[in-house]
Amino acid sequence: MSLLNIHSLHTFFKTSSGIVKAVDGVSLSVKKGEILGIVGESGCGKSVLALSILRLLPMPPAFFEQGQIMFNKSDLLKISNEEIRSIRGNRISMIFQEPMTALNPVYTVGNQLAEVYRVHRNMSKKQALEKAVNMLEKVGIPGPKNRLKEYPYQLSGGLRQRVMIAMALACQPQLLIADEPTTALDVTIQAQILDLVIKLRKELGTAIIMITHDLGVIAEITDRVMVMYTGSIMESASTLELFEKPLHPYTMGLLKSIPGTGATDENELYEIKGNVPSLLNLPQGCKFNTRCPMAVDICTQKRPELREIYPEHNVACWRVDHV
Amino acid sequence: MSNLIEVYKLSKHFPVSAGLFSRKKKYVYAMDEISFTLGEKETLGLVGESGCGKSTASRTILNLITPTSGQVWFQGQNLFALKPYEKRKLRQGIQIIFQDPFGSLNPRLTVKRIVEEPLLTHKIGDRASRRQEVEKMLTKVGLLPEHMKRFPHEFSGGQRQRIMLARALILKPKLIIADEPVSALDVSVQAQMLNLLKRLQEEMDLSYIFISHDLGVIRHVSHKVAVMYLGEIVEIAPVDPLYNEPLHPYTISLLSSVPVPDPKKKNRTRKILQGDVPSPRNPPAGCRFHTRCPDCMDICTREKPDTRQVKKNHMVACHLYQDGELWVPPLPNQ
């Protein structure tokens, strides 16, 4: 059963040089307890998509041209500000990339963590602090009682990200959106955090949307993946299938351009030619046609729709039969 | 084969004031006695987590930071013993490219001026020949001569990195120190840059000291790899032995921490390190890694391990490998 259903979401930005189509017709669904990965290069719209779900974008300049985000039978784009506020941090919560800027530097860790309980659960300060200790323990912070009184600057990057996770999971949300949660961390700390995420998912049964540019992280923890490019989904499939038989030329290119996997012994890495086009000036037809090695006439004329090629494996490409 | 560069027991301790009335000076032990050699057309990968001293190493080798102790010999000359004008001349042979393609180019200068700057500094050529040289370099790194009149903000991250490369190459150096040159780039652009660096190595007979935290990138570009932890080189070996049979417990867990882009390997057993990197202000006694080491023994907390050559050209500093032959870096140029 699906928990979250996004239907044809268009999030645009009005700028002085024109309309930026950051999310351009994305549909997806997240099932209970699953980890969905969204992968793409910078500027592909993955963060805007995440922020759209919780309506955390500044409006204006952002606006929803069309679309629906259905969560527990209500459309998150239509409900009032009070209603969305009661969902944020409670039913759906979010972890951000930069743990230093996401925590408030002038409040103690305990204060910030207890706030979640006080706002959403109406607890007294004492009760909330007790709960906070439990939560810190759950995310593996040693000596949680003492940590309550510390300020974010006193913690290392890894510990800060654990505090962020504790805050996000405090109210046992049904959905957790993690936007590049390990990008700012070192590999050994990243491994700790990913391990923690998997463990907590098992314990709490939270569904997770994992947003990252790192295909390694995707392979490591997700059940299903969507590949985004310039605001649209190019391919979606189960993680195993996507890595085993990618069908979109962009996905194939991405997978082949990862260095040092030991899988290929070639001296030369595969390159995707050129750069990501500007969102203000997207090519006609398929948005990938300027960089695609397989592009033909139709690719420059008509935009391909996401089609189901195999069960649960969707691709937006005209040339998929020739792959 | 003679070596292009020899680094011998190079250390850098940054003094920190420990309070207004404190007499005792404290230090950040950023880099401690690192030694390595690098031949022509070779690439040394320097890998480690943030704060392990990789960038300090790169800047000290260039003498942008004065070392606390140690020597760097470049093309048979001791870099730190030279007179200033000799040093300037010798340093034409070593160039650096930085990580941040946005902060390292002056936004007010045209690409032509940026790329030609090293020639001006070293007073090489006249106007026309400099212009020609700039044109040649831009073409070499995959840009167009007409880009000369533009400013940095008109370029994407990958293109700026190419501009920086053109600037570094214009003096025809022998050694390029690349400090995280691709970590600000997306995978598809990163692949273009890595291929370019490899091609230029062939064309211009370059050696690289390639610094990165990304083990995949290091594996792709390097001939040999040095793993750093808290200012020390804990293991150094040719690339294949290091990745296939790592010896030091830190290298082993570092390699197993890297997420593998293959979901079938999802359930492999991984050695995940506990805790964080200790502060270099107050490094642990004995082996610096012992606080996080899964194989920590009694001796590790007391004695600093010697560097031993366990297999041919495979050096490791760890008490687990006591039978290895003791390895002392040879004095340069002897």
Side-chain angles (χ1 to χ4, degrees):
Chain A
M1 222 205 83
S2 56
L3 178 68
L4 178 87
N5 258 311
I6 299 182
H7 183 68
S8 177
L9 179 71
H10 292 68
T11 311
F12 295 172
F13 289 83
K14 212 174 245 156
T15 69
S16 53
S17 31
I19 286 181
V20 174
K21 298 180 177 177
V23 175
D24 193 7
V26 168
S27 300
L28 62 85
S29 67
V30 186
K31 298 187 194 87
K32 271 188 180 149
E34 85 168 333
I35 304 188
L36 170 70
I38 296 180
V39 67
E41 298 180 277
S42 45
C44 73
K46 50 193 196 303
S47 290
V48 173
L49 173 64
L51 294 169
S52 299
I53 297 173
L54 282 177
R55 290 199 355 218
L56 288 170
L57 291 163
M59 306 212 202
F63 65 99
F64 298 111
E65 173 70 21
Q66 53 161 301
Q68 269 184 330
I69 302 180
M70 299 304 289
F71 178 74
N72 283 345
K73 300 197 186 86
S74 55
D75 185 348
L76 297 184
L77 297 183
K78 296 236 167 68
I79 58 177
S80 69
N81 284 340
E82 278 80 58
E83 282 172 297
I84 189 98
R85 223 176 290 142
S86 72
I87 288 178
R88 282 181 201 144
N90 188 13
R91 317 283 292 284
I92 304 179
S93 55
M94 190 154 176
I95 322 176
F96 299 91
Q97 170 173 358
E98 201 12 272
M100 192 62 225
T101 47
L103 291 170
N104 190 329
V106 299
Y107 287 107
T108 61
V109 167
N111 237 320
Q112 295 184 55
L113 189 47
E115 188 192 358
V116 185
Y117 292 107
R118 301 187 68 194
V119 169
H120 291 300
R121 295 283 183 266
N122 286 323
M123 287 184 185
S124 71
K125 192 162 185 182
K126 204 177 144 206
Q127 269 180 314
L129 282 173
E130 255 166 50
K131 278 278 201 182
V133 175
N134 280 339
M135 204 61 221
L136 286 181
E137 203 163 11
K138 204 172 238 160
V139 296
I141 292 184
K145 268 223 164 84
N146 304 324
R147 294 287 181 189
L148 283 184
K149 293 180 206 106
E150 288 187 2
Y151 289 88
Y153 79 91
Q154 290 168 297
L155 307 178
S156 66
L159 283 181
R160 269 181 224 144
Q161 203 55 288
R162 281 173 198 262
V163 172
M164 286 295 300
I165 293 173
M167 278 169 74
L169 295 178
C171 289
Q172 310 214 339
Q174 288 164 294
L175 176 66
L176 174 71
I177 304 169
D179 188 359
E180 304 259 10
T182 57
T183 307
L185 306 174
D186 279 316
V187 264
T188 60
I189 310 295
Q190 166 170 290
Q192 292 173 4
I193 297 289
L194 292 180
D195 237 36
L196 176 71
V197 169
I198 294 171
K199 195 189 103 202
L200 291 173
R201 197 264 299 240
K202 261 187 209 141
E203 272 173 32
L204 308 171
T206 314
I208 300 173
I209 299 182
M210 175 65 84
I211 295 172
T212 178
H213 67 278
D214 187 336
L215 285 155
V217 172
I218 290 284
E220 207 76 59
I221 75 165
T222 63
D223 304 318
R224 211 148 54 84
V225 201
M226 302 191 138
V227 181
M228 264 184 101
Y229 185 76
T230 56
S232 305
I233 289 170
M234 292 287 158
E235 181 163 8
S236 77
S238 76
T239 308
L240 259 162
E241 195 161 318
L242 189 99
F243 281 82
E244 199 134 279
K245 43 175 186 198
L247 292 176
H248 199 286
Y250 178 59
T251 317
M252 289 189 262
L254 276 185
L255 288 171
K256 277 191 279 183
S257 55
I258 309 172
T261 49
T264 47
D265 208 29
E266 292 151 47
N267 215 359
E268 189 108 332
L269 278 174
Y270 179 81
E271 299 177 8
I272 301 177
K273 301 278 177 245
N275 289 301
V276 181
S278 153
L279 290 174
L280 279 166
N281 188 16
L282 287 171
Q284 281 280 315
C286 173
K287 294 191 247 185
F288 187 58
N289 76 46
T290 49
R291 304 175 77 190
C292 185
M294 304 173 66
V296 289
D297 280 354
I298 188 166
C299 303
T300 58
Q301 290 152 8
K302 255 177 93 184
R303 185 161 297 173
E305 293 288 320
L306 207 57
R307 288 184 295 153
E308 188 162 35
I309 303 295
Y310 298 111
E312 304 264 302
H313 192 156
N314 304 301
V315 185
C317 179
W318 292 119
R319 304 272 292 158
V320 73
D321 310 324
H322 299 84
V323 166
Chain B
M1 188 182 70
S2 74
N3 289 315
L4 179 71
I5 188 162
E6 302 182 310
V7 173
Y8 179 75
K9 290 192 175 175
L10 194 64
S11 301
K12 178 66 195 177
H13 304 156
F14 291 102
V16 280
S17 57
L20 195 55
F21 300 107
S22 168
R23 292 252 170 125
K24 223 164 89 190
K25 263 229 170 124
K26 290 194 174 163
Y27 291 95
V28 172
Y29 298 90
M31 180 173 67
D32 239 353
E33 301 210 336
I34 70 164
S35 306
F36 62 83
T37 59
L38 185 64
E40 271 174 37
K41 284 178 86 170
E42 254 193 326
T43 303
L44 170 80
L46 212 53
V47 67
E49 296 180 277
S50 46
C52 72
K54 316 184 286 285
S55 292
T56 306
S58 70
R59 281 158 183 69
T60 319
I61 291 166
L62 261 177
N63 212 350
L64 292 175
I65 299 173
T66 319
T68 309
S69 64
Q71 299 171 10
V72 173
W73 289 68
F74 182 69
Q75 293 183 322
Q77 282 183 284
N78 185 348
L79 205 57
F80 303 143
L82 294 176
K83 297 198 179 70
Y85 69 89
E86 291 173 329
K87 198 192 282 176
R88 208 173 305 137
K89 186 113 186 70
L90 196 65
R91 264 208 302 209
Q92 288 181 24
I94 315 176
Q95 296 293 322
I96 186 165
I97 45 180
F98 297 102
Q99 168 175 6
D100 180 8
F102 297 87
S104 331
L105 301 174
N106 188 334
R108 286 162 186 273
L109 299 184
T110 60
V111 169
K112 170 170 178 282
R113 183 60 218 283
I114 290 170
V115 176
E116 123 192 286
E117 179 121 25
L119 295 177
L120 295 171
T121 312
H122 291 281
K123 301 195 177 75
I124 298 170
D126 55 26
R127 223 181 137 104
S129 72
R130 283 200 298 264
R131 192 190 165 82
Q132 226 177 10
E133 203 53 29
V134 171
E135 221 165 85
K136 217 171 90 193
M137 277 306 143
L138 286 180
T139 331
K140 219 167 192 130
V141 298
L143 294 169
L144 301 169
E146 56 257 39
H147 286 146
M148 282 208 296
K149 289 188 212 97
R150 300 210 202 151
F151 289 91
H153 72 90
E154 293 172 73
F155 295 90
S156 67
Q159 286 172 314
R160 282 179 221 215
Q161 212 57 297
R162 287 170 196 256
I163 297 172
M164 202 141 53
L165 192 59
R167 173 174 70 181
L169 291 175
I170 202 157
L171 289 170
K172 312 251 160 41
K174 301 303 289 174
L175 173 68
I176 297 263
I177 297 175
D179 191 357
E180 303 263 14
V182 295
S183 50
L185 307 177
D186 279 316
V187 211
S188 70
V189 184
Q190 170 178 296
Q192 297 171 5
M193 190 71 190
L194 292 176
N195 284 341
L196 175 67
L197 285 168
K198 277 204 149 180
R199 208 177 58 233
L200 290 171
Q201 178 159 46
E202 286 304 312
E203 282 176 24
M204 302 182 71
D205 298 335
L206 294 168
S207 298
Y208 291 120
I209 294 179
F210 199 101
I211 297 173
S212 180
H213 66 277
D214 186 327
L215 287 139
V217 171
I218 290 282
R219 180 177 203 169
H220 181 72
V221 299
S222 306
H223 299 110
K224 57 179 171 182
V225 181
V227 182
M228 285 187 78
Y229 185 78
L230 263 184
E232 292 176 335
I233 293 181
V234 294
E235 184 164 2
I236 182 165
V239 61
D240 286 332
L242 190 107
Y243 277 81
N244 298 331
E245 312 146 50
L247 297 176
H248 198 285
Y250 178 61
T251 317
I252 294 170
S253 33
L254 196 62
L255 287 172
S256 86
S257 298
V258 182
V260 181
D262 180 359
K264 275 179 286 177
K265 294 188 183 146
K266 200 167 173 171
N267 295 321
R268 72 193 188 280
T269 46
R270 297 190 297 163
K271 284 200 167 179
I272 296 181
L273 286 180
Q274 299 303 312
D276 283 314
V277 184
S279 159
R281 269 179 185 226
N282 191 11
C287 171
R288 289 191 175 179
F289 183 57
H290 84 252
T291 54
R292 299 174 81 196
C293 185
D295 307 312
C296 180
M297 300 174 291
D298 204 28
I299 185 171
C300 306
T301 60
R302 285 180 279 113
E303 270 174 57
K304 199 170 180 150
D306 297 312
T307 302
R308 290 173 187 276
Q309 178 158 257
V310 177
K311 287 175 208 156
K312 191 167 180 288
N313 291 328
H314 195 149
M315 270 68 84
V316 60
C318 177
H319 286 299
L320 285 175
Y321 303 96
Q322 284 299 354
D323 356 323
E325 163 201 350
L326 198 67
W327 184 77
V328 187
L331 261 171
N333 212 30
Q334 301 268 311

